[in-house]
Amino acid sequence: EKRSGDLNQMATIPPEAFAGTGENLIGFQPGDTITLRDLLYAALVQSDNIAAHALANRVGGALQSIVPTAPSEGGTPVAVFVSQMNALAKRLGMERTHFVNPHGIDGAVRPLPYSTAADLARLTRYAVNKPGFRFYVSQKERQITFNRGGKKLGYMLRNTNELLGTNGVDGVKTGRTARAGDCLILSASRESQFIQEGTKTAVIPRHLVIVILGSTDRFGEGAQLLRRRRAARLQDD
């Protein structure tokens, strides 16, 4: 299993990336070329669905020759990528999760994708253990560039997580579909725990993960849960 790659590699935005992915805030066009790094920023900082599809297409294409897919899944690069998403979910014990595309859009797809708050917390715990992921989702803004017909274009990404930087929040991600409603996953740093073991002191970093699904006020509820957890911790002390 290859765990790393050169994020300076270029990817091409395919025409299929625009099918059913909703708005195109960045203004991508089919044939634009962009680094894998800037696609990751677009997908993780500003929740761009076109970027998520383009990433899956590029990485899935590289995996096609080494990853077997079931006939029912189809043999496209994106299908290969999604099969690996589901393989990871299974490995992490996400027993009530099934992905059908790289971005979660559920408007006109069958079967429907599904997950639970507990499963998404498992995935978040796995992801925030990766320093690269933590860095991407902690960025409030990020300038990206892409090429169109030999011309360099730029766009300033704005993080969709309004709670980033408050109450120790250092990530993670917003999401929204008509079926799922407004969703939010938060990661927040908390004071480390110190445990005395004889003459040695063990320092245990503490991290809080909050998953909110189908909310009518995801940022309000998120802030309230963060305050409640902090108050409970102070009472425990």
Side-chain angles (χ1 to χ4, degrees):
E1 182 183 349
K2 188 173 173 58
R3 293 187 175 274
S4 62
D6 179 9
L7 295 179
N8 292 315
Q9 289 181 71
M10 303 298 291
T12 301
I13 310 282
E16 313 87 71
F18 298 85
T21 45
E23 57 192 2
N24 181 8
L25 293 176
I26 294 174
F28 286 132
Q29 290 183 12
D32 289 349
T33 57
I34 182 171
T35 63
L36 295 181
R37 178 177 287 104
D38 279 355
L39 279 178
L40 274 170
Y41 276 120
L44 293 174
V45 173
Q46 198 169 292
S47 295
D48 190 85
N49 298 323
I50 293 167
H53 188 286
L55 266 172
N57 185 67
R58 178 69 173 76
V59 176
L63 292 173
Q64 256 180 320
S65 61
I66 54 175
V67 174
T69 54
S72 60
E73 293 174 329
T76 68
V78 172
V80 172
F81 186 88
V82 173
S83 75
Q84 290 303 288
M85 292 171 65
N86 285 312
L88 175 62
K90 190 172 183 181
R91 200 159 74 240
L92 296 179
M94 298 167 63
E95 294 178 1
R96 297 177 65 191
T97 294
H98 183 67
F99 300 113
V100 301
N101 56 40
H103 41 62
I105 296 294
D106 55 11
V109 296
R110 293 291 185 276
L112 287 171
Y114 56 85
S115 191
T116 66
D119 277 2
L120 291 174
R122 290 183 179 96
L123 182 59
T124 303
R125 184 171 58 186
Y126 168 83
V128 296
N129 276 326
K130 312 288 182 185
F133 178 86
R134 286 202 308 274
F135 180 78
Y136 281 85
V137 296
S138 70
Q139 304 300 298
K140 287 191 175 183
E141 294 182 341
R142 184 75 185 195
Q143 176 79 31
I144 62 168
T145 59
F146 51 99
N147 303 300
R148 179 177 299 157
K151 186 178 179 183
K152 184 173 276 193
L153 303 172
Y155 182 86
M156 178 64 79
L157 301 167
R158 315 272 181 202
N159 201 306
T160 53
N161 181 2
E162 293 177 13
L163 294 179
L164 190 64
T166 67
N167 282 310
V169 173
D170 49 20
V172 171
K173 188 81 179 54
T174 62
R176 172 190 290 138
T177 72
R179 283 192 172 87
D182 283 1
C183 304
L184 176 66
I185 301 178
L186 296 172
S187 163
S189 299
R190 287 294 178 258
E191 301 81 5
S192 294
Q193 190 174 1
F194 297 90
I195 298 177
Q196 197 71 33
E197 297 174 347
T199 57
K200 296 180 180 178
T201 302
V203 181
I204 302 173
R206 293 172 63 248
H207 229 83
L208 180 65
V209 171
I210 293 174
V211 181
I212 300 170
L213 305 179
S215 172
T216 54
D217 179 20
R218 55 184 170 179
F219 298 118
E221 287 184 14
Q224 189 178 16
L225 285 166
L226 285 163
R227 286 193 297 269
R228 192 181 302 165
R229 292 295 300 168
R230 184 177 286 274
R233 176 64 183 164
L234 290 172
Q235 287 172 3
D236 290 346
D237 291 345

